[in-house]
């Protein structure tokens, strides 16, 4: 073997300075172990000048060794990390076959370079050096170089992201709802994250240190906080954001996407709860809308467009309510939390609603419940209530809402009675349970059970007389109750055909007692069925047949210590009158509505004719029939109606209506004494015309002109002589006409309000030839303005101003004393209802504050009814001898303080 | 601070208010006699038969001495009105006091035309009294429509005319008590200013009658009268102005002004047309 020191620089070009080997680097030697067998080599004899053969290893090389296979050594990790490079000098020995038999590091440079180079050359293959005689073994110097280069980026391989070092959760205070799409910023950096739908956010690769977090969400107050990121840990932070607006300003006028009624005014629940003086009752707020007259003592009677209170109907999910208000007249019988919307139809409504000549109030209860649950409780000077809504089921697919309320004024009244010689105990309670099960498919199903019970008792000790009449002594007790169970089912056959039905059952009872002498006990068991089959026959024509059926059993017991004649004769001997009656009632009214929308834009024009067929049948049994068989009473009537709405522009809508409205006799009018009823339907022809104008998206004004002509009104029969006759007759006539205006600012930017004005006249006459006189509740001018504003820090302020013409009154003067009755009979001066009480003026204000905590909210309010102590006469009271008079005043200044808590489970 | 400024005027308005209208409590009480008043008319007998003669007396206090003459009228049912008698003085005058005590002799035909089943319960004649000043007599109005009943006190009573074999009698009162102590008819009760007293009447033993009544079904029932008392005074206040038999008492708060003199009355009605009364004088002592 030739030992040939040969420096071969076979590595890539040296770019950096070689690294000096550590002084104490160990020598590295590699020796071949077992080499594979190879074929012997046949050499060629080469002679010298003497003709003698020259040994092969003494012959000069004709070719040096070569690299057949180069192996690149892995860059040592330490050197890579330290970004070092260098050249390792090796001594390599090849045999005649080119096989590496020995490698040795001549100059170690450390850092793993030596070992790497040695390992690499051990795997390389070489070609043997050549002489004239053949290959020969050689030893040569081999430099293996290492040049540092940054690791190449291979686009086909994913780059591992840095780990998350900071994450958090955004939650809304009070409601505990996760906040999505909020921007989370690390102040002073480019770190920005967006919270997901669960309110979660994360920052990868945030270095350790103190960071200032800022959270931006359009519906929440900006929240900032310092957080410390710790090395080697994931820092988690929970952030609670306060909402900018907690008011329920969701407009709930979603009852019908297609408007079919000429005038339908819809209020939001937050608006109605904040109108002062209404005790937060959504139905009482109707009185602030045009067309609704003011009811005495704020009792909430519905006197709409000159019609009697009993002439207007209140519906709950399509089922008519028999009694609307609790006996205090301050609150309706439904918990406000169960109500989703209240639609007020003063007139011109379609054949869907019947059995009334006046207006209709359509109350819709909850159609959805909070997914995560909501618990509220509240109390004010009148009552306390509790309410819960949420979802049941594995997937929270079934909704439930339930609540109850009870008054406690009966506990406080004794504190104010002082030395009064009588005791007073009013009490009421109500409840409601709504179920919204998810039934799947094309079906919807809801169930609603509700009811109420009211009691009023007045009594005095036995030796304290209650007036001079011997039969009015003893406790006065009034109790009435009502319960309903309603199911609503809807099936969608297709885009054009749907079916809805609302069956219900219920019981109503009213019991009145005065001592042992007087009793009136009335119980009605009622079943109702509503059904509609809306069919979109063409794009322009929708046909809606419907059924509005009511049936049931009625029963009453009546006991009186005297009959009618004896009641007016102070010297007559009295005989107990005991009457009872029972029977059935059936009224399967049917109707057909057609909604014509000839244009593609459904709101551009609506022509909606409808026809309602009314039928009622009553049967009688009991002593009220006089022991004789009284034939059933039945009557039929038809109500053709027409409604037209047309959009002149996007902002202006014209509307008009005309139609006939029939109303059956009231229950107390429906029973003849010993005879069949000879009454028929009362009727009214009502027409209206008006327009709606949207000044801006949140400001609009409406005008309605109306005329209502009433005939066959039921009046007292002046010729009634007693049993065997009818106390009432259809002889009355009435008319009402006027104009209504409302200007409204929809809830927006923390401001809401509306002002309404009605100019109207309503008259009656008791027979066709009698003189006209003003309707008892004829109020020429009715003005009401109310509104509220959200103040900073969750304060709220709302106010109401009302001005109403005084009610009519029949003046009397002087009197003659009836010695036997111990009373004076006054002389009427002028026609009935020919003078007016002074006008009504009232201002009420409300201040409320909402405190929001992480898991609950607390609202407190002070509602000052009649805040400036307007003295508003309600009716005239005369002196005992009619020589003088004074006004019985309406509600005084009443401060109502309330508190309400909301929990979000 | 701003909230306080806002709330303060509201609270002030709550207190001040407006009080321009008279209140019901300011109206004169029907149980305080402060002007000429008819409190009762006693007919003797209260139930009469055709041909009977009936006399009348009125409890007619006149604290202001405004009435000079009591005019008495009577009329049969066909001439009766809701305010007494629709007759002129010429047709229906039965008395004029002072001078002519009222007396009515019922005609024998008083029950002619009445259904037989109604004869027992009877019909009503009206007996009316009007207290008028003297110039009403010297210059009487020419028609009833010109009468101003704010200036004239007028009252009427029903006279039962029947063939009842047991006609009703007036209830009599035989005693008067103040705080359970008997008070003689001519005594003047001395009461303390503002003090509450129990005032009680004593019914005669036969004041409350038992009688037979035939119902509309023809059933005879034995019944007992249920009289009641109504209380009046010229001053002071009644805790309860009515007292149902058998309770013959009530409570009266004496006037608060010392030296006031006045009267108390209790008028009893038996609900069948009979009446009686008791009266006592009082003076408020220091």
């Amino acid at each position: 073997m030739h030992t040939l020191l040969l420096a071969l620089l076979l590595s890539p070009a040296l770019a950096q300075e070689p690294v000096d080997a550590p002084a104490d680097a160990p020598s590295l030697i590699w020796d071949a172990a077992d080499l594979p067998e190879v074929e012997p080599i046949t050499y060629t004899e080469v002679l010298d000048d003497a003709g003698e053969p020259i040994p092969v290893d003494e012959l000069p090389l004709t070719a040096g060794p070569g690299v057949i296979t180069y192996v690149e050594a892995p860059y040592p990790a330490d050197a890579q990390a330290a970004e070092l490079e260098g050249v390792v000098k090796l001594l390599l020995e090849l045999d005649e076959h080119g096989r590496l038999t020995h490698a040795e590091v001549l100059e170690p440079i450390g850092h793993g370079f030596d070992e790497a180079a040695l390992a690499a050359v051990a795997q390389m293959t070489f070609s043997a050096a050549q002489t004239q005689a053949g290959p020969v073994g050689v030893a040569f110097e081999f430099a293996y170089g290492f040049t540092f280069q940054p690791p190449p980026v291979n686009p086909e391989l994913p780059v591992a992201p840095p780990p998350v070092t900071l994450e958090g959760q955004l939650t809304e205070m009070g409601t505990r709802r996760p906040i999505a799409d909020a921007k989370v910023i690390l102040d002073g950096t480019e770190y920005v994250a967006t919270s997901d739908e669960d309110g979660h956010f994360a920052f990868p690769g945030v270095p350790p240190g103190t960071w200032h977090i800022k959270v931006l969400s359009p519906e929440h107050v900006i929240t900032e906080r310092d957080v410390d990121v710790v090395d080697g840990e994931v820092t988690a932070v929970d952030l609670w954001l306060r909402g900018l607006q907690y008011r329920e300003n969701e407009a709930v006028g979603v009852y019908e996407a297609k408007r079919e009624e000429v005038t339908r005014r819809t209020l939001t629940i937050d608006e109605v709860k904040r109108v002062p003086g209404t005790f937060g009752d959504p139905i009482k707020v109707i009185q602030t809308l045009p067309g609704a007259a003011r009811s005495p003592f704020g009792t909430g009677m519905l006197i709409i467009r000159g019609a009697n209170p009993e002439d207007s109907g209140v519906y709950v999910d399509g089922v008519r309510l028999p009694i609307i208000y609790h006996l205090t007249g301050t609150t309706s019988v439904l918990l406000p939390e169960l109500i989703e919307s209240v639609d007020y139809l003063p007139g011109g409504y379609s054949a869907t609603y019947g059995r009334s000549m006046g207006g209709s109030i359509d109350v819709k209860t909850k159609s959805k419940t909070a997914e995560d649950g909501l618990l509220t409780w509240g109390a004010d000077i009148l009552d306390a209530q509790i309410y819960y809504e949420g979802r049941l089921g594995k997937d929270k697919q079934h909704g439930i809402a339930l609540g109850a309320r009870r008054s406690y004024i009966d506990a406080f009244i004794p504190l104010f009675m002082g030395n009064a010689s009588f005791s007073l105990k009013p009490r009421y309670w109500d409840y409601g349970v709504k179920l919204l099960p998810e039934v799947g498919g094309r079906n919807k199903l809801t169930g609603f059970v509700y009811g109420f019970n009211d009691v009023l008792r007045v009594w005095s000790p036995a030796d304290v007389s209650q007036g001079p009449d011997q039969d009015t002594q003893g406790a006065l007790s009034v109790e009435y109750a009502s319960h309903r169970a309603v199911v609503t089912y809807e099936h969608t056959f297709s885009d054009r055909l749907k079916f809805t039905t609302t069956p219900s059952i219920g019981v109503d009872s009213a019991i009145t007692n005065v001592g042992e002498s007087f009793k009136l006990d009335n119980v009605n068991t009622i079943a109702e069925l509503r059904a509609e089959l809306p069919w979109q026959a063409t794009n322009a024509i929708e046909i809606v047949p419907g059924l509005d059926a009511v049936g049931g059993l009625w029963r009453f017991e009546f006991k009186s210590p005297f009959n009618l004649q004896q009641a007016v004769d102070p010297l007559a001997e009295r005989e107990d009158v005991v009457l009872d009656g029972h029977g059935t009632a059936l009224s399967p009214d049917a109707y057909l509505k057609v909604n014509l929308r000839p244009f593609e834009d459904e709101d551009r024009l609506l022509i909606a004719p409808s026809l309602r067929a009314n039928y009622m049948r009553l049967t009688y049994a009991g002593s009220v029939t006089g022991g004789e068989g009284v034939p059933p009473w039945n009557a039929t009537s038809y109500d053709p109606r027409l409604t037209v709405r047309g959009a002149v522009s996007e902002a202006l809508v014209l509307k008009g209506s005309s139609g006939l409205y029939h109303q059956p006799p009231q229950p107390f009018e429906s029973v003849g004494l010993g005879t069949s009823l000879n009454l028929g339907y009362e009727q009214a022809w009502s027409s209206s015309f008006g327009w709606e104008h949207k000044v801006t998206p949140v400001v609009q004004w409406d005008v309605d002109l109306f005329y209502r002509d009433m005939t066959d009104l039921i009046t007292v029969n002046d010729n009634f002589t007693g049993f065997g006759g009818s106390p009432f007759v259809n002889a009355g006539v009435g008319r009402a006409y006027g104009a209504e205006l409302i200007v409204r600012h929809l809830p927006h930017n923390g401001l809401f309000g509306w002002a309404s004005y009605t100019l109207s006249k309503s008259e009656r006459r008791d027979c066709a030839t009698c003189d006209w006189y003003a309707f008892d509740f004829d109020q020429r001018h009715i003005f009401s303005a109310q509104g509220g504003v959200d103040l900073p820090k969750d304060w709220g302020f709302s106010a109401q101003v009302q001005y109403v013409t005084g009610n009519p009154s029949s003046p009397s003067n002087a009197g003659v004393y009836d010695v036997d009755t111990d009373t004076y009979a006054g002389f009427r001066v002028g026609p009935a209802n020919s003078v007016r009480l002074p006008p009504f003026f009232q201002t009420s204000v409300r201040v409320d504050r909402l405190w929001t905590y992480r898991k609950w909210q607390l609202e407190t309010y002070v509602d000052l009814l009649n805040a400036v102590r307007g003295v508003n006469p309600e009716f005239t009271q005369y002196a005992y001898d009619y020589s003088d008079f004074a006004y019985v005043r309406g509600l005084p200044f009443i401060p109502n303080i309330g508190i309400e808590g909301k929990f979000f489970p | 601070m701003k909230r306080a400024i806002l709330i303060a005027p509201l609270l002030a308005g709550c207190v001040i208010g407006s009080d321009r209208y008279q209140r019901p409590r300011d109206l004169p009480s029907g149980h305080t006699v402060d002007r000429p008043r008819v409190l009762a008319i006693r007919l003797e007998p209260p139930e009469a038969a055709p041909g009977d003669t009936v006399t009348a007396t009125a409890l007619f206090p006149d604290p202001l001495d405004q009435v000079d003459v009591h005019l008495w009228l009577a009329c049969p049912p066909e001439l009766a009105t809701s305010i007494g008698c629709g007759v002129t003085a010429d047709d229906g005058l039965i008395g004029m006091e002072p001078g002519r005590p009222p007396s009515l002799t019922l005609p024998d035909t008083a029950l002619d035309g009445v259904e037989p089943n109604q004869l027992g319960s009877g019909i009503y004649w009206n007996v009316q009294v009007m207290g008028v000043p003297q110039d009403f007599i010297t210059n009487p109005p020419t028609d009833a429509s010109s009468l101003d009943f704010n200036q004239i006190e007028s009252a009427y009573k029903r006279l039962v005319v029947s063939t009842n074999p047991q006609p009703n009698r007036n209830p009599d009162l035989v005693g008067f008590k103040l705080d359970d102590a008997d008070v003689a008819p001519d005594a003047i009760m001395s009461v303390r200013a503002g003090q509450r007293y129990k005032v009680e009447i004593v019914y005669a033993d036969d004041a409350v009658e038992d009688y037979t009544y035939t119902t509309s079904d023809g059933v005879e029932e034995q019944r007992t009268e249920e009289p009641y008392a109504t209380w009046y005074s010229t001053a002071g206040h009644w805790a309860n102005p009515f007292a149902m038999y058998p309770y013959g008492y009530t409570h009266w708060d004496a006037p608060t002004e010392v030296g006031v003199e006045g009267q108390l009355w209790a008028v009893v009605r038996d609900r069948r047309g009979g009446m009686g009364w008791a009266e006592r004088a009082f003076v408020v002592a220091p």
Side-chain angles (χ1 to χ4, degrees), chain A residues 163-407:
Chain A
V164 169
T165 55
L166 173 62
E167 64 180 3
Q169 177 68 42
L170 303 181
T171 308
E172 184 178 68
M173 289 179 72
T175 64
R176 302 180 66 201
R177 283 194 288 256
I179 301 171
D181 298 324
K183 286 284 183 285
V184 185
I185 302 170
L186 298 188
D187 222 9
T189 73
E190 294 182 359
Y191 283 103
V192 178
T194 302
S195 59
D196 60 18
E197 62 179 9
D198 294 324
H200 186 259
F201 68 92
F203 288 105
V206 176
T210 300
W211 303 94
H212 186 71
I213 294 180
K214 185 183 288 186
V215 181
L216 306 175
S217 171
E219 296 178 351
H220 300 84
V221 175
I222 295 175
T223 301
E224 300 181 59
R225 184 168 152 184
D226 289 336
V227 61
D228 293 323
V229 176
V230 179
D231 187 20
E233 295 179 4
V234 177
T235 301
V237 59
D238 287 332
L239 296 170
W240 293 82
L241 277 66
R242 179 186 299 281
L244 289 175
Q245 176 60 263
Y246 284 99
R247 306 293 181 184
E248 295 175 42
N249 276 341
E250 179 182 332
V252 292
V254 294
Y255 165 66
E256 275 190 304
K258 297 178 185 178
R259 291 194 54 168
E260 299 171 4
E261 315 300 345
V262 66
T263 298
R264 178 189 293 264
R265 300 198 169 98
T266 303
L267 307 169
T268 69
I269 294 302
D270 187 60
E271 284 178 297
V272 301
K273 288 175 72 174
R274 296 175 66 193
V275 175
T278 61
F279 293 90
D281 187 88
I283 301 177
K284 284 197 72 175
V285 173
I286 297 295
Q287 291 187 47
T288 66
L289 298 177
R294 186 188 68 80
S295 64
F297 297 101
T299 51
M301 280 196 294
L302 295 171
I303 306 162
I304 300 173
R305 286 186 179 174
N308 288 326
E310 62 270 21
D311 293 346
S312 294
V314 178
Y315 299 84
V316 177
D317 293 336
V319 178
R320 192 152 174 175
L321 265 184
I323 298 172
I324 309 164
Y325 295 98
H326 286 300
L327 49 81
T328 56
T330 52
T331 56
S332 64
V333 297
L334 277 180
L335 266 180
E337 283 76 5
L338 285 167
I339 297 175
E340 184 170 270
S341 70
V342 178
D343 289 338
Y344 167 53
L345 307 169
Y349 44 86
S350 71
T352 302
Y353 307 100
R355 304 188 191 92
S356 58
M357 294 190 300
S360 280
I361 312 299
D362 200 345
V363 179
K364 295 294 177 186
T365 57
K366 288 271 186 181
S367 62
K368 57 183 185 294
T369 57
E371 195 168 318
D372 294 323
L374 171 66
L375 175 67
T376 69
W377 58 267
D380 62 16
I381 62 172
L382 292 177
D383 54 45
Q385 62 187 55
I386 187 165
Y387 170 80
Y388 171 79
E389 69 175 64
R391 300 283 180 93
L392 305 174
K394 185 178 63 173
D395 299 321
K396 293 187 177 182
Q397 68 272 40
H398 308 304
I400 183 170
L402 64 162
R405 167 172 56 183
R406 197 222 189 260
S407 68

